[in-house]
């Protein structure tokens, strides 16, 4: 027996206490475990079966028992009811109610004769002979593949001797094959991706044109046209061809000036607006911490910091894109602010928009507005020509028109100048705003179509996201192979162990995700296995990289039963659960099984459900039961456990006697 000369620590370098430094947290709104309020007994049974298969026996027991009480009964149902009753538990954990369930099964399955009934008979013999350990391994081998696999998986605590060894060795090749089955290495990351939300069509700010501006523009424009028309009448009455031609040229020059001047101003406005967008982020109030805008800020900082173009200094990249980062950020926040969308659901959109900016940078098109909105030389020439023609031809036309009606023509000139200036300014503003709106609307329409195409591509990529059952199956394979590694390292047979226990907990900084009414699954796990032998406890701790199905940072510790000082689970204010194991000498081992920040509810969920399911799937209850007994009684725990088992074995025999006669 090895002395406990190695302290029990986790993978932290400086401390045995590790908090859950959480990455992203995702809740998939899937109906994997959904039960309607008016669910039928059969539906409750089927969902209970899912929980059982995915290693959540406590919830499975509740639903299957409820289905049986409501009348859904058969040999298959009773088989799974027994598995749920016994899965992951020791004899000491069976309650009086559990024994009543076993006893009640006697009168329910008399005369049944199918493969599920055969499975129940094997369970009966297994429980009835738990003390003598005389169950023939061939009994398990003769069962159907599904029945024998499920018994080996769920009743491992009740299998003993050669039967235990045979069942265990049968699981190993299945675990090797199943560990990377169904393209695990390519697909697991998708489970931790948030469900993407559809892009929202956004609209530009409406034209900033007030009613007063329109009234003034129409009034000034009407007065100007009237005066111009009056001067034209005077020019015609002069009967001088040069005057008439000059008048017509002045009108044509004014039209040329107005059209090209509006184009020039529009291009300048668009170029300056783009320049401000890219260059000057401006000042804004910091959004409330934890709110949607704050989370969007975090994502923009994350992805702009990650997607840095090659050969570009990060600081330069962030400084040069500060304005456009602010612009896109505001656009996303405004688009989804009035919805209940979680910020992680638009992470795909933020990544896409950041990727577009990066691509534009690399292709030198990020600043192409400078030439796109550059005013053409022909436009500038047309404006200059128009102004020149208006001035020269207008003066000649006025000179010919005034003698026809000196008083009224003289009064018309200042009115012409005043209304012309006012109308030019007002109509130029209206025209520029209208064109701005049309241009921005077209840009946003194109952006929406591009984003929609990106959304559909992302949906297609996530189409084969693993189900929660697949995640549970892969994790079960990892657990079996790790258990096998520990057994091989300590040169044990499964039948050499008194019992074993394990804990699956999130590794610091991991991503986590789950489906509604399901447990949290993690991108990286801390897994602890405790092998209890007559010589003491063999403990192995590893970190599991779930994406790549690899184990890292193995730590092995051996200690006597009396070296365990205490073991307990603490529950925090936010329902976090921390497993704590302290040896007589050494630092305590603290593992957050369900960490802070995980109370993220899906549709129809109640607080605490996810944490309870996570604790159930992590195997915490059985581990706590075993190690608490060791901490309280030391090596005498083995003797006392056998003594305590005596009466329970007798009651177990009475409960299963004649179960399937």
């Amino acid at each position: 027996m090895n002395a406990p000369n190695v302290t029990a620590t986790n993978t932290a370098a400086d401390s045995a206490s590790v908090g859950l430094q959480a990455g992203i947290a995702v809740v998939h709104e899937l109906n994997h475990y959904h039960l309607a309020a008016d669910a039928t007994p059969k539906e409750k049974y089927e969902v209970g079966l899912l929980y059982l298969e995915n290693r959540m026996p406590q919830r499975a027991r509740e639903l299957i028992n409820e289905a049986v009480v409501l009348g859904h009964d058969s040999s298959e149902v009773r088989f799974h009811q027994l598995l749920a009753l016994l899965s992951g538990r020791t004899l000491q954990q069976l309650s009086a109610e559990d024994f009543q369930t076993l006893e009640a099964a006697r009168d329910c399955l008399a005369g049944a004769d199918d493969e599920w009934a055969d499975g129940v008979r094997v369970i009966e013999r297994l429980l009835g002979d738990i003390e003598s350990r005389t169950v023939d391994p061939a009994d398990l081998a003769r069962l159907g593949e599904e029945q024998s696999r499920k018994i080996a998986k769920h009743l491992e605590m009740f299998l003993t001797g050669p039967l235990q060894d045979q069942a265990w060795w049968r699981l190993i090749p299945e675990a090797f094959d199943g560990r990377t089955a169904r393209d695990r290495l390519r697909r697991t990351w998708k489970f931790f991706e948030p469900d993407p939300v559809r892009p929202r069509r956004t609209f530009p700010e409406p034209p900033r044109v007030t009613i007063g501006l329109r009234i003034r523009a129409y009034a000034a424009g009407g007065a100007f046209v009237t005066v111009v028309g009056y001067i034209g009448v005077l020019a015609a009455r002069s009967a001088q061809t040069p005057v008439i031609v000059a008048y017509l040229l002045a009108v044509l020059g004014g039209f040329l000036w107005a059209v090209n001047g509006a184009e020039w101003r529009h291009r300048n406005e668009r170029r300056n607006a783009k320049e401000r967008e890219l260059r000057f982020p401006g000042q804004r109030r910091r959004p409330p911490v934890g709110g949607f805008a704050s989370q969007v800020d975090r994502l923009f900082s994350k992805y702009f910091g990650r997607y840095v173009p090659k050969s570009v200094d990060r600081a330069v990249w962030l400084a040069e894109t500060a304005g456009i980062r602010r612009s896109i950020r505001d656009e996303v926040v405004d688009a989804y602010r009035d919805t209940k969308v979680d910020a992680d659901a638009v992470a795909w959109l933020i990544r896409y928009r950041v990727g577009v900016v990066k691509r534009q940078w690399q292709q030198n098109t990020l600043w192409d507005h400078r030439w796109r909105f550059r005013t053409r030389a022909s436009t500038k020439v047309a404006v200059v020509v128009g102004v020149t023609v208006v001035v020269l031809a207008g003066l000649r036309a006025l000179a010919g028109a005034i003698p026809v009606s000196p008083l009224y023509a003289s009064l018309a000139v200042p009115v012409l100048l005043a209304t012309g200036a006012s109308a030019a300014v007002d109509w130029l503003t209206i025209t520029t705003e209208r064109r701005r709106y049309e241009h921005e609307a077209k840009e946003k329409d194109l952006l929406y179509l591009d984003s929609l195409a990106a959304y559909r591509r992302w949906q297609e990529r996530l189409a084969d996201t693993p189900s929660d059952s697949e995640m549970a199956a892969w994790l079960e394979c990892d657990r079996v192979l790790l258990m096998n590694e520990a057994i091989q390292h300590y040169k044990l047979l499964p039948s050499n162990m008194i019992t074993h226990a394990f804990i699956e907990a999130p590794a610091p900084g991991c991503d986590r995700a789950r489906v509604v009414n399901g447990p949290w699954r993690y991108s990286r796990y801390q897994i602890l296995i405790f092998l209890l032998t007559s010589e003491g406890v063999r403990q192995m701790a590893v970190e599991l990289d779930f994406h790549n199905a690899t184990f890292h940072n193995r730590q092995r510790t051996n200690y006597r039963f009396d070296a365990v000082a205490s073991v307990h689970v603490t529950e925090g204010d936010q329902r976090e659960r921390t497993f704590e194991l302290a040896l007589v000498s050494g630092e305590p081992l603290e593992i957050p099984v369900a960490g802070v920040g995980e109370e993220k509810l899906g549709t129809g969920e109640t607080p605490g459900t996810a944490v309870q399911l996570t604790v159930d799937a992590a195997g915490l209850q059985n581990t706590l039961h075993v190690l608490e007994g060791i901490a309280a009684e030391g090596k005498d725990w083995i003797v006392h456990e056998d003594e305590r088992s005596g009466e329970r074995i007798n009651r177990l025999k009475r409960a299963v006697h004649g179960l399937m006669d």
Side-chain angles (χ1 to χ4, degrees), residues 216-457:
R216 190 171 66 244
Y218 279 111
F224 177 74
V225 170
T226 300
V227 173
V228 169
Y230 175 70
I231 293 175
V233 171
L234 295 179
R237 288 172 59 187
S238 71
Q240 298 179 36
T241 302
V243 174
I244 296 173
V245 171
Y247 173 81
L248 294 176
L249 286 175
V251 172
L252 181 61
F255 178 78
L256 190 67
W257 178 12
V259 171
N260 289 278
E263 176 69 14
W264 193 345
R265 177 168 176 174
H266 167 69
R267 287 182 171 273
N268 279 346
E269 290 285 342
R270 298 311 306 145
R271 185 185 63 207
N272 293 337
K274 286 292 184 182
E275 198 71 21
R276 287 192 300 271
E277 177 183 313
L278 292 176
R279 285 292 191 185
F280 308 110
Q283 299 294 325
R284 61 178 172 84
R285 295 176 60 186
R286 185 179 297 275
V289 176
F292 177 76
S294 175
Q295 295 173 20
V296 169
D297 284 347
R298 171 182 58 83
L299 290 170
F300 269 98
S301 297
K302 172 183 176 181
Y303 291 119
F304 265 99
R306 178 184 298 176
Y307 295 164
V308 180
K310 292 181 180 179
S311 304
V312 177
D313 183 76
R314 183 184 302 273
V316 172
W317 161 253
L318 294 177
E320 291 291 326
T321 58
I324 193 169
R325 184 165 70 248
R326 164 71 183 278
S327 175
I328 300 174
R329 175 265 182 202
D330 290 347
E331 184 181 328
V332 171
V333 169
D334 290 342
Y336 294 96
R337 188 191 299 275
D338 60 342
T339 68
K340 295 183 179 180
V341 168
D342 189 85
D344 286 332
V346 298
W348 72 271
L349 178 60
I350 295 173
R351 283 197 304 268
Y352 171 69
R353 296 294 298 275
V354 174
V356 170
V357 174
K358 177 182 177 181
R359 185 167 61 252
Q360 289 174 335
W361 178 290
Q362 293 173 326
Q363 296 173 352
N364 294 320
T365 59
L366 188 59
W367 309 97
D368 66 354
H369 63 277
R370 292 175 176 173
W371 62 264
R372 222 168 12 106
F373 294 113
R374 183 177 56 196
T375 304
R376 294 186 294 271
S378 59
T379 301
K380 295 179 179 180
V381 169
V383 171
V384 173
V385 170
V387 172
T388 302
V389 170
V390 166
V391 173
L392 297 179
L395 290 175
R396 179 67 183 90
L398 284 173
I402 289 176
V404 176
S405 179
L407 177 60
Y408 290 112
S410 298
L411 292 175
V413 171
V415 175
L416 176 70
L417 295 177
T419 57
S422 177
V425 172
D426 292 343
W427 279 108
L428 195 58
T429 300
I430 293 173
T431 302
T432 301
E433 275 297 294
R434 177 180 57 79
R435 296 188 65 180
R436 173 198 63 81
Y437 178 80
E438 291 174 352
H439 181 84
E440 290 183 354
K442 184 178 180 180
E443 281 189 332
K444 289 185 177 295
D445 285 345
L446 292 175
L447 178 61
Y448 171 73
L449 293 176
D450 288 343
S451 299
L452 186 60
Y455 168 74
R456 288 169 177 164
R457 290 194 298 270

